[in-house]
Amino acid sequence: MYSVKVSKLIDHFKLEPLTPSIEYENRQITESDVNRPALQLAGFFDYFDPTRLQIIGKVEHTYMEQMPEDARRQCIERLMNYTEIPCIVFCREEIEPFPEMIACAEKSGIPMFKTLESTTSFLAEVNRWLHVELAPRISMHGVLVDIYGEGVLITGESGIGKSETALELVRRGHRLVADDAVEIKRVSGTTLLGSAPEVIRHFIEVRGIGIVDIKQIFGVGSVKEMKNIDLVIKLENWDQKKQYDRLGLTNEYMDILGINVVSHSIPIRPGRNLAIICETAAINFRQKKMGYNAAEALNERVMNNLQNNFNN
């Protein structure tokens, strides 16, 4: 199970502490989903998950405001009995926590914070952020490059030329995301997000030269922090006995964290310009996403030509 510190949430969203006496440095968030405890404040705790981040907006605050003081204290105490709650965030500038809520929070050790954002905006942003931070992940050996807006993961055996291909692509105006090790997160049912480990970010290893800092040599426009993985290119030594796809009428796929990603096997042979091949693969993939398939267009043209010859 993955987790993210509450302190990282506070720093990222610039939240204002409402309970400064409560220590939160070691508190962890383990659930990517968030909760607005409207039903819980009304007394319904079935299916309540206290490990989620709790968000209180204008609706919840107005409901508590209309309650008698004793009833409000009781519902707050019942909510605060769940000490597993990582933290509570109040939204909107005009909303302030009730004194009894601060007292209960301090007694239970549950930190509370405030954001000036509207509830809907903050809910959407924090939900997206948590899904990225807590996403299932793996690390793969390869190179990730942004080519014409498509995230291309280049894989292959060590020493086959992945880094050299990435270097040539950077010289041609594309952007490096990661070299050697690519950290991949599954942020949704259809999206994979790749990045570089912080220690080796922006660095690339070229055999015979050594370590190269791409950001320093080619500028900030030559690197990118994160990129969706749209296409996989597998570099492999040329095998004369193997039949390679020459038409592209059917797609091959690589399974990464349960998501099928379109994959091309590119045989390595002297004289083949791998950077241009990767560029062409990325453009062709983009064309297919836009509804044009060159292989299908050629096949249709050939079939029409055969049909015309037959009719004549």
Side-chain angles (χ1 to χ4, degrees):
M1 179 183 293
Y2 301 104
S3 64
V4 59
K5 287 187 175 182
V6 169
S7 57
K8 189 173 182 180
L9 172 79
I10 307 312
D11 293 339
H12 184 82
F13 290 98
K14 305 295 187 293
L15 302 182
E16 173 191 348
L18 297 174
T19 52
S21 61
I22 299 178
E23 189 275 331
Y24 58 83
E25 290 296 327
N26 296 321
R27 296 185 76 88
Q28 305 279 344
I29 302 174
T30 58
E31 286 291 331
S32 57
D33 292 326
V34 300
N35 182 58
R36 296 183 66 175
L39 287 173
Q40 286 70 49
L41 293 172
F44 185 79
F45 281 85
D46 291 1
Y47 307 108
F48 174 59
D49 186 355
T51 61
R52 293 183 182 183
L53 171 67
Q54 305 296 315
I55 298 177
I56 293 180
K58 190 172 183 179
V59 173
E60 293 80 12
H61 188 269
T62 303
Y63 175 75
M64 287 189 290
E65 201 172 34
Q66 296 174 355
M67 296 174 69
E69 187 175 341
D70 290 341
R72 181 169 62 230
R73 182 180 293 106
Q74 289 178 6
C75 79
I76 291 173
E77 288 177 350
R78 190 174 179 187
L79 177 66
M80 294 294 184
N81 282 335
Y82 291 89
T83 55
E84 308 98 311
I85 295 174
C87 67
I88 298 174
V89 179
F90 286 79
C91 298
R92 306 180 72 94
E93 183 177 2
E94 66 271 17
I95 294 179
E96 296 291 342
F98 300 99
E100 55 266 37
M101 197 163 196
I102 293 180
C104 286
E106 290 177 344
K107 181 180 178 181
S108 302
I110 301 173
M112 297 196 301
F113 304 91
K114 182 177 180 179
T115 176
L116 302 182
E117 295 289 331
S118 68
T119 311
T120 303
S121 298
F122 179 73
L123 189 68
E125 285 298 315
V126 76
N127 204 18
R128 182 198 60 80
W129 184 77
L130 286 174
H131 271 82
V132 173
E133 291 293 322
L134 301 177
R137 67 202 66 181
I138 59 170
S139 181
M140 289 186 63
H141 178 64
V143 176
L144 181 58
V145 186
D146 180 354
I147 306 176
Y148 296 125
E150 303 295 334
V152 180
L153 177 64
I154 305 173
T155 65
E157 296 179 0
S158 180
I160 203 167
K162 299 182 297 295
S163 297
E164 290 79 0
T165 302
L167 183 62
E168 175 63 22
L169 287 167
V170 169
R171 284 186 54 85
R172 296 174 66 87
H174 306 291
R175 292 185 289 181
L176 174 73
V177 180
D179 176 61
D180 191 49
V182 183
E183 292 183 344
I184 303 174
K185 296 180 179 180
R186 175 177 173 160
V187 297
S188 74
T190 58
T191 304
L192 296 169
L193 192 63
S195 62
E198 189 173 352
V199 176
I200 61 173
R201 188 168 296 159
H202 305 150
F203 289 98
I204 193 169
E205 177 194 353
V206 181
R207 282 175 171 78
I209 297 177
I211 304 299
V212 177
D213 190 330
I214 296 298
K215 182 179 177 182
Q216 292 296 325
I217 293 179
F218 298 100
V220 294
S222 64
V223 295
K224 192 169 185 179
E225 297 295 317
M226 294 183 179
K227 182 64 185 174
N228 291 355
I229 297 177
D230 304 300
L231 178 67
V232 176
I233 293 181
K234 297 185 289 186
L235 303 182
E236 56 184 57
N237 291 316
W238 188 291
D239 185 356
Q240 293 183 349
K241 298 180 181 179
K242 183 176 179 178
Q243 293 292 326
Y244 295 100
D245 187 9
R246 301 183 62 179
L247 296 178
L249 287 172
T250 58
N251 287 328
E252 293 182 7
Y253 295 93
M254 173 183 284
D255 183 283
I256 303 177
L257 292 172
I259 296 178
N260 287 328
V261 183
V262 176
S263 173
H264 296 304
S265 297
I266 307 297
I268 305 299
R269 203 173 189 180
R272 304 199 82 190
N273 191 317
L274 296 179
I276 292 179
I277 292 174
C278 290
E279 282 183 336
T280 305
I283 294 173
N284 192 53
F285 176 77
R286 194 167 190 175
Q287 274 191 325
K288 288 181 180 180
K289 287 202 304 184
M290 297 174 68
Y292 177 79
N293 189 318
E296 291 179 355
L298 176 60
N299 184 62
E300 183 179 355
R301 186 182 299 180
V302 170
M303 295 304 294
N304 289 336
N305 186 58
L306 290 174
Q307 184 66 36
N308 291 333
N309 292 337
F310 178 78
N311 292 335
N312 291 334

